[in-house]
Amino acid sequence: MSNKFQQVNDFSMGRLTSLLVLLHNTELAEGIEKEINERGYSYTVGKVGAMELSKVVAAIETSAKTNKIINAQSYREVHALYHAILEAIQGVSRGTLQLGDILRTVGLTFSIVRGKIEFSGSRDEWISVCVYGTIGAPKKGFEHDTLGFGFNHI
């Protein structure tokens, strides 16, 4: 492992999910991806831009299904992902789940990580979603950085 991430094995699944999206397309992402793989987690990274919340949710959910992060036929898994997505989007939109209705648009990179973690004395499956990008008026130069994170048990 790169010495840049000597302490990476101490990182929680949530921190790895966040670093994965924040470091996407940089050489530093390799160390995070290696740690995620060594833990046996599954993950994906994608992008979405939209003025409609439903399109953002659909893009993240579709990526999770297409990349086999969740079983599309399992209500429990889809439901867990859905709540993690909504929690992350609440962070992006400062608690208001509205975009186009109030003339806001987003351009986001997202990461989804799924795996077993030790929590309260039990080793169970969890899923985390982190989104990073911009939010603002639908006019170039009228946006700012935003970050959101969601975490849910499966």
Side-chain angles (χ1 to χ4, degrees):
M1 182 173 308
S2 167
N3 61 7
K4 294 177 184 174
F5 290 101
Q6 294 269 329
Q7 301 297 316
V8 77
N9 57 358
D10 294 334
F11 288 176
S12 68
M13 188 171 109
R15 184 179 282 187
L16 290 170
T17 306
S18 301
L19 288 170
L20 185 62
V21 77
L22 291 169
L23 299 175
H24 182 64
N25 285 336
T26 72
E27 64 182 43
L28 298 175
E30 290 179 24
I32 299 303
E33 291 172 352
K34 182 178 178 187
E35 179 66 22
I36 288 170
N37 286 322
E38 286 176 359
R39 291 187 189 190
Y41 296 165
S42 54
Y43 73 95
T44 189
V45 178
K47 293 185 177 207
V48 61
M51 282 185 71
E52 296 175 36
L53 179 63
S54 61
K55 289 183 180 181
V56 175
V57 172
I60 298 171
E61 187 175 321
T62 299
S63 181
K65 290 174 181 177
T66 301
N67 292 292
K68 309 281 189 242
I69 307 301
I70 63 165
N71 176 352
Q73 303 307 312
S74 170
Y75 172 77
R76 180 176 49 87
E77 293 185 21
V78 173
H79 188 77
L81 174 66
Y82 180 73
H83 281 285
I85 293 169
L86 288 183
E87 188 176 1
I89 299 300
Q90 283 178 332
V92 164
S93 60
R94 297 180 181 168
T96 305
L97 291 175
Q98 291 179 298
L99 294 175
D101 296 341
I102 56 171
L103 294 177
R104 291 290 171 258
T105 188
V106 292
L108 304 169
T109 300
F110 60 85
S111 63
I112 308 165
V113 177
R114 175 189 178 158
K116 289 189 176 190
I117 60 170
E118 190 78 27
F119 193 79
S120 297
S122 180
R123 188 165 165 80
D124 297 313
E125 287 223 79
W126 289 76
I127 193 160
S128 55
V129 175
C130 189
V131 290
Y132 169 76
T134 60
I135 187 169
K139 181 177 178 184
K140 186 142 180 78
F142 282 61
E143 65 274 335
H144 58 79
D145 283 5
T146 190
L147 178 70
F149 178 77
F151 197 69
N152 206 70
H153 57 87
I154 297 178

